[in-house]
Amino acid sequence: MSNQHEEDRAPEARNRADRPSVLIVGGGFGGIAVARALAHVDADITVIDKQNHHVFQPLLYQVATASLSPATISQPIRTILRGQGNCGVVLASASGVDVEGRKLLFEQGDVAYDYLVLAAGASHDYFGHDEWAPIAPGLKTLSDATEIRRRLLLAFEEAEHEGDPTTRRAALTFAVVGGGPTGVELSGAIKEIAGQTLPSEYHNIDTKTTRVLLFEGSDRLLNAFPPQLSERAKRDLESLGVEVRLNARVTEVTEQGIRVGEEFIETNTVFWAAGVRASGLGESLGVPVDRSRRVIVQPDLSIPGHPEVFVIGDMASLTPDGQDHPLPGVAQTAMQMGQFVGKVLKSEIAGRSTPSDRPKFVYKDKGSMAIIGKNRAVAAIGHRRFTGFIAWLLWAFVHIAFLVGFRNRLRVLFNWGVKWLLNSHDARLIVGDTNMHMSKPVGRGFTPKQQDEQ
Amino acid sequence: MSNQHEEDRAPEARNRADRPSVLIVGGGFGGIAVARALAHVDADITVIDKQNHHVFQPLLYQVATASLSPATISQPIRTILRGQGNCGVVLASASGVDVEGRKLLFEQGDVAYDYLVLAAGASHDYFGHDEWAPIAPGLKTLSDATEIRRRLLLAFEEAEHEGDPTTRRAALTFAVVGGGPTGVELSGAIKEIAGQTLPSEYHNIDTKTTRVLLFEGSDRLLNAFPPQLSERAKRDLESLGVEVRLNARVTEVTEQGIRVGEEFIETNTVFWAAGVRASGLGESLGVPVDRSRRVIVQPDLSIPGHPEVFVIGDMASLTPDGQDHPLPGVAQTAMQMGQFVGKVLKSEIAGRSTPSDRPKFVYKDKGSMAIIGKNRAVAAIGHRRFTGFIAWLLWAFVHIAFLVGFRNRLRVLFNWGVKWLLNSHDARLIVGDTNMHMSKPVGRGFTPKQQDEQ
């Protein structure tokens, strides 16, 4: 087998010891952009990720709310990069970096590099209350999304067969913490599924009475957007029936509910879309990080004293000249940073430039958008603002266009078409634990005799 | 809320105490058929299932082999039955039956019934070796399917970065136990994905050298099919490269491999498609069961002495007059039994007949089919036999036609079309634990420097 395999190999793969090794940690928007930019470079490139698949994160909330299947918004990293003979993919979890020794550390051993790109992203931050994590899951991976979907759908099942009115009300109450795009999109979609898709399927409850509360710590939703769009998003959510609470500080999250200021709201289901905490790999570099653990990078996205180490995307903190806050942790930042690093490496590996020639990374803001429900979105592109149906069309167009894989685009279009026409949510699968905690079961057809007898 | 909800209810829902209560345990082919046959009957019907969704089991192996997404072959039971005002759905797991007291037992309490239909299906039988279950998962639920998919895909990742040739060979060896339709379909599909979809994506291994072994205890594959089709299925599988071992008794399954007779084959991945063990609910009825725990039912599918209790599908054992083996545990048996019981109940609830008038259940064999790979299948319909491409077309047509939900049919057609044209498997997601156990990691681009240094 190995003989035959040697013959299959492209000639470029020979003399590997002479070629520089580029390790890219993370197969998200940033990491994939670096790898693609290095397509024809004479180097050994490896993308390392804990998952075998790249996820189109902007549509993750649609998996969480049963509109799309996980496979529709993801693709194996191998498949994305299979055309690149110089690029391997490794399913593994790096534990740290030995910057001086130029080694990436794994449980099984160290791996040397000539260039390292850290693009491992971020997860949520529970503001020092990590004990809230199991109660209030965040939405960063496909597993998170199917877990949120499970809890969301299970809550309605629980309400349907719960005899105690207070407990039933708690099952039909959903709290979303964090008023960024994820929180806005999630709360709008939950209200939509409860109000439009589910009503005809439950006999004991009126799913239209579902309460969805969105808590935001600051004084407006969508902080990274222009204020007028924040205002519009709030109005649109409220007209859908979402209760938006601004300046709301969450002080307690338990199985029974959530405390916001003085008020305790009984709910079985809390979703977390607040705070950012960058991958811990950044800390192992031994250079300054900000309070979200993001690495403070140089203008060329490398770290001080080590031009061979780059940090990009959600792991990087870069404040452009003349501005007072760092670039936002969104897909386009990661992609642009990845393209930039790829271009720099390409030139240096080919010997056309050296680290002292490097340009500064310049971010081009191509706009921001968030969807609020069927036919409604807000978008800021350059100095233009869009709302309502036009913004929604723009949103759909941009998200389809950037989705990886032509087949996935067709699948998503098909699913959105069906959903738009029929208000359906076709991926309503509860997978995993289906145990419910009911105090007093009741249900039409299910327990009438029991009630008569007791 | 409850006031408004009362008004929403259809008039038929009133006076519920006078209406008979029908409990159906299981939302598979049998249970759904009973519920549908009772659509316009004046009764309180409840379908109880551990899962919220019905699964089209004949296509489950395609989820396990990354051709289809879970949501494509399943639908919430609520959605299937939402047009039926007389039918509720409960997500719960029944623990037993009190036949004399006419109660179905749950952890939370008992629920009384007038009629009970047990249609809870079966799982695999490890022939007294339940300790093999975690090593060799079976394929009955969507969770099983995604677990098999995870192990299948992870094995290739492990092989790609395994430096030790023996361990790498074990990672590229797959054993499937049981030569029924599931075993045949699974082994053919694994060989197909390894030989056609994956080769271009791995640099260190040649996935075409993947070994797939299919072990069957008897002297032919597809026991329920005519012998000439068993022979053809074996030939077709072998021409795909699957190693078929007949009269093979598995005597040991460990993390290191599988022992068959004298031989021990090193493999990391064993899938189980042998044996049948009916749901334990049947045993709680206090009537005779066969050695697969199936309840020996009367000719009208009820149990002795209790005309109000029916057992159908994979839980029932019924040997037709003049035959020497019971009806096969396949989808069409369950569906026909469900339709029969639904018709009987409809007539008796309407007062048009009594249990003494009941006809015998007569099974109409509409044929059997199994797919072997792209463009190949075997089918027996009446006295006709089909093989090769024609059988494959028939197979595809029948499976699309019986799939629940028009949208799912379109989705499956689309995915099959793409797969047929491009040999792709688009649902290659590893979700869950991605830890691998490698003895000696190696990988192009990943560890060249490490090798140089050591």
Side-chain angles (χ1 to χ4, degrees):
Chain A
M1 172 204 126
S2 73
N3 279 350
Q4 191 218 322
H5 189 63
E6 281 299 324
E7 288 161 28
D8 285 352
R9 238 176 231 171
E12 50 163 336
R14 308 203 187 270
N15 302 320
R16 49 161 69 169
D18 304 335
R19 309 168 68 201
S21 159
V22 183
L23 300 187
I24 302 167
V25 183
F29 290 112
I32 295 287
V34 178
R36 282 188 160 166
L38 295 174
H40 301 290
V41 170
D42 192 29
D44 271 323
I45 299 150
T46 308
V47 176
I48 299 140
D49 200 298
K50 282 187 270 191
Q51 304 289 343
N52 80 323
H53 48 270
H54 166 83
V55 176
F56 190 74
Q57 285 205 6
L59 290 179
L60 207 48
Y61 85 95
Q62 295 216 354
V63 173
T65 52
S67 289
L68 294 174
S69 277
T72 321
I73 63 156
S74 56
Q75 204 161 33
I77 297 170
R78 283 191 189 288
T79 306
I80 298 174
L81 298 172
R82 76 176 145 199
Q84 270 181 247
N86 65 352
C87 184
V89 177
V90 173
L91 183 69
S93 181
S95 56
V97 182
D98 171 1
V99 182
E100 298 309 324
R102 298 198 181 183
K103 285 175 184 167
L104 187 59
L105 311 179
F106 294 86
E107 234 178 69
Q108 298 101 326
D110 310 341
V111 176
Y113 60 77
D114 297 303
Y115 298 96
L116 176 68
V117 183
L118 295 184
S123 60
H124 292 290
D125 187 14
Y126 290 89
F127 308 124
H129 289 279
D130 286 348
E131 72 276 15
W132 296 349
I135 306 170
L139 183 57
K140 282 284 178 189
T141 67
L142 284 178
S143 299
D144 292 343
T146 49
E147 174 61 17
I148 287 182
R149 183 177 73 182
R150 188 182 73 81
R151 294 188 186 205
L152 173 66
L153 299 174
L154 215 49
F156 293 105
E157 295 299 324
E158 211 164 313
E160 170 83 348
H161 298 291
E162 174 59 61
D164 178 70
T166 312
T167 317
R168 188 167 58 219
R169 179 42 46 220
L172 284 179
T173 300
F174 298 89
V176 178
V177 182
T182 299
V184 165
E185 289 165 351
L186 204 52
S187 56
I190 295 171
K191 194 67 198 174
E192 206 175 63
I193 193 172
Q196 290 165 21
T197 305
L198 299 183
S200 65
E201 300 191 8
Y202 292 82
H203 295 298
N204 301 318
I205 54 171
D206 181 356
T207 61
K208 290 181 191 165
T209 65
T210 299
R211 278 183 85 187
V212 181
L213 297 107
L214 175 61
F215 300 104
E216 164 60 32
S218 77
D219 61 354
R220 65 182 178 105
L221 298 177
L222 303 174
N223 256 302
F225 287 55
Q228 76 208 70
L229 292 185
S230 298
E231 189 43 49
R232 175 64 183 250
K234 180 165 180 284
R235 259 198 342 262
D236 282 353
L237 277 178
E238 284 171 343
S239 78
L240 263 179
V242 175
E243 301 170 40
V244 179
R245 307 272 183 93
L246 301 176
N247 302 307
R249 293 269 160 199
V250 174
T251 52
E252 190 186 356
V253 180
T254 71
E255 297 280 356
Q256 282 69 48
I258 183 168
R259 186 176 304 278
V260 182
E262 296 295 293
E263 193 183 6
F264 187 81
I265 296 149
E266 286 184 50
T267 167
N268 296 3
T269 322
V270 182
F271 299 132
W272 199 263
V276 173
R277 188 171 167 79
S279 156
L281 276 183
E283 282 182 332
S284 72
L285 295 173
V287 297
V289 300
D290 70 6
R291 68 196 174 100
S292 305
R293 283 213 299 208
R294 289 181 298 185
V295 175
I296 318 255
V297 293
Q298 310 274 96
D300 65 353
L301 307 181
S302 69
I303 61 170
H306 287 278
E308 76 283 5
V309 178
F310 297 87
V311 182
I312 63 174
D314 286 0
M315 278 188 74
S317 176
L318 178 71
T319 304
D321 292 345
Q323 292 197 18
D324 54 2
H325 52 268
L327 294 173
V330 297
Q332 52 173 322
T333 310
M335 274 194 253
Q336 291 181 31
M337 285 180 163
Q339 285 154 0
F340 173 87
V341 169
K343 221 168 140 184
V344 165
L345 284 181
K346 188 175 180 172
S347 168
E348 293 180 15
I349 289 170
R352 291 195 303 268
S353 63
T354 66
S356 58
D357 307 326
R358 286 184 191 168
K360 285 183 182 182
F361 170 71
V362 180
Y363 177 63
K364 288 183 203 71
D365 186 354
K366 294 189 181 160
S368 325
M369 24 182 84
I371 191 166
I372 287 147
K374 191 173 172 176
N375 299 349
R376 279 188 248 195
V378 292
I381 296 172
H383 291 289
R384 308 193 62 170
R385 310 280 172 263
F386 303 90
T387 57
F389 186 65
I390 297 290
W392 181 83
L393 272 184
L394 262 175
W395 179 94
F397 178 80
V398 167
H399 282 75
I400 287 284
F402 278 90
L403 196 59
V404 174
F406 179 68
R407 272 123 55 192
N408 279 345
R409 274 176 226 147
L410 285 186
R411 284 192 191 101
V412 168
L413 264 183
F414 175 79
N415 282 291
W416 285 357
V418 165
K419 186 184 158 201
W420 194 82
L421 286 170
L422 305 172
N423 289 325
S424 69
H425 286 72
D426 284 353
R428 279 189 286 132
L429 287 178
I430 301 177
V431 180
D433 185 8
T434 56
N435 283 324
M436 294 183 288
H437 306 285
M438 287 182 287
S439 60
K440 204 173 158 191
V442 74
R444 176 182 170 215
F446 188 46
T447 49
K449 300 287 161 170
Q450 188 188 26
Q451 288 176 312
D452 294 347
E453 280 165 19
Q454 280 168 352
Chain B
M1 173 206 125
S2 74
N3 278 349
Q4 191 219 323
H5 189 61
E6 281 298 325
E7 288 160 27
D8 284 352
R9 238 177 230 171
E12 50 164 335
R14 312 210 182 262
N15 301 320
R16 46 159 70 168
D18 304 335
R19 307 167 69 200
S21 158
V22 182
L23 299 187
I24 301 167
V25 183
F29 290 113
I32 295 288
V34 177
R36 282 187 160 167
L38 295 175
H40 301 291
V41 169
D42 190 30
D44 271 323
I45 300 150
T46 308
V47 176
I48 298 138
D49 200 299
K50 281 187 271 193
Q51 306 288 345
N52 80 323
H53 48 270
H54 167 83
V55 176
F56 190 74
Q57 285 205 5
L59 290 180
L60 207 48
Y61 85 95
Q62 296 217 352
V63 173
T65 52
S67 289
L68 295 174
S69 277
T72 322
I73 62 155
S74 56
Q75 205 162 32
I77 298 169
R78 283 191 189 288
T79 307
I80 298 173
L81 298 172
R82 77 175 144 198
Q84 272 181 244
N86 65 352
C87 184
V89 177
V90 174
L91 183 69
S93 180
S95 56
V97 182
D98 171 0
V99 182
E100 299 308 324
R102 299 198 178 183
K103 284 175 184 167
L104 186 60
L105 311 179
F106 295 85
E107 235 179 66
Q108 298 101 325
D110 310 341
V111 177
Y113 61 77
D114 296 303
Y115 298 96
L116 176 68
V117 183
L118 294 184
S123 61
H124 292 290
D125 187 14
Y126 290 88
F127 308 125
H129 289 278
D130 286 348
E131 72 276 14
W132 296 349
I135 306 170
L139 183 57
K140 283 286 179 188
T141 66
L142 285 178
S143 300
D144 292 343
T146 49
E147 174 61 17
I148 286 182
R149 184 178 72 183
R150 187 182 74 80
R151 294 188 186 205
L152 173 66
L153 299 175
L154 214 49
F156 293 104
E157 295 300 323
E158 210 163 314
E160 171 83 347
H161 298 291
E162 174 59 59
D164 178 70
T166 312
T167 317
R168 188 168 57 219
R169 182 37 53 217
L172 285 180
T173 301
F174 297 88
V176 178
V177 182
T182 300
V184 165
E185 290 165 349
L186 204 52
S187 55
I190 294 171
K191 194 67 199 172
E192 207 175 62
I193 193 172
Q196 293 165 21
T197 305
L198 299 184
S200 65
E201 301 190 9
Y202 291 83
H203 296 298
N204 300 320
I205 55 171
D206 180 357
T207 62
K208 288 181 192 165
T209 65
T210 299
R211 277 184 85 188
V212 180
L213 297 106
L214 175 60
F215 299 105
E216 164 59 33
S218 77
D219 61 355
R220 63 182 179 103
L221 299 176
L222 302 175
N223 256 302
F225 286 57
Q228 75 207 69
L229 291 186
S230 299
E231 191 42 49
R232 175 64 184 250
K234 181 166 178 284
R235 262 201 335 267
D236 282 354
L237 277 178
E238 284 170 345
S239 78
L240 262 179
V242 174
E243 302 171 40
V244 179
R245 307 273 183 94
L246 301 176
N247 301 307
R249 292 268 160 201
V250 174
T251 53
E252 190 185 356
V253 180
T254 70
E255 297 280 355
Q256 282 69 47
I258 183 169
R259 186 176 302 280
V260 182
E262 295 296 292
E263 193 183 6
F264 187 81
I265 295 146
E266 286 185 49
T267 166
N268 295 4
T269 322
V270 182
F271 299 132
W272 199 262
V276 172
R277 189 171 165 80
S279 155
L281 275 183
E283 282 183 332
S284 73
L285 295 172
V287 297
V289 299
D290 71 7
R291 70 199 172 97
S292 303
R293 280 212 303 207
R294 289 181 298 186
V295 176
I296 319 257
V297 293
Q298 310 276 95
D300 66 352
L301 307 181
S302 70
I303 62 169
H306 287 279
E308 76 282 6
V309 178
F310 298 88
V311 182
I312 64 173
D314 286 359
M315 279 189 74
S317 175
L318 178 70
T319 304
D321 291 345
Q323 293 197 18
D324 55 1
H325 52 266
L327 294 174
V330 296
Q332 50 173 323
T333 310
M335 273 194 251
Q336 290 181 31
M337 285 180 163
Q339 285 154 358
F340 172 86
V341 169
K343 222 168 140 185
V344 164
L345 285 182
K346 188 174 180 174
S347 169
E348 292 180 15
I349 289 171
R352 290 195 304 269
S353 64
T354 66
S356 57
D357 306 326
R358 286 184 191 168
K360 285 182 182 182
F361 171 70
V362 179
Y363 177 63
K364 287 183 204 71
D365 186 353
K366 295 188 180 162
S368 325
M369 24 182 82
I371 192 165
I372 287 148
K374 192 174 172 177
N375 299 350
R376 280 189 248 194
V378 292
I381 297 172
H383 291 288
R384 308 194 62 170
R385 310 279 173 263
F386 303 90
T387 58
F389 186 64
I390 296 289
W392 181 83
L393 273 184
L394 262 174
W395 179 93
F397 178 80
V398 167
H399 282 76
I400 288 283
F402 277 90
L403 196 60
V404 174
F406 179 68
R407 270 122 55 191
N408 279 345
R409 272 176 227 146
L410 285 186
R411 283 191 192 103
V412 169
L413 263 183
F414 175 79
N415 282 292
W416 285 356
V418 166
K419 186 185 158 201
W420 194 83
L421 287 171
L422 306 173
N423 289 327
S424 69
H425 286 73
D426 284 352
R428 279 189 286 134
L429 288 177
I430 301 178
V431 180
D433 185 9
T434 55
N435 283 323
M436 294 183 288
H437 305 286
M438 287 182 287
S439 60
K440 204 173 157 191
V442 73
R444 177 183 171 213
F446 188 45
T447 50
K449 299 289 161 175
Q450 187 186 27
Q451 287 175 315
D452 294 345
E453 282 165 17
Q454 280 168 356

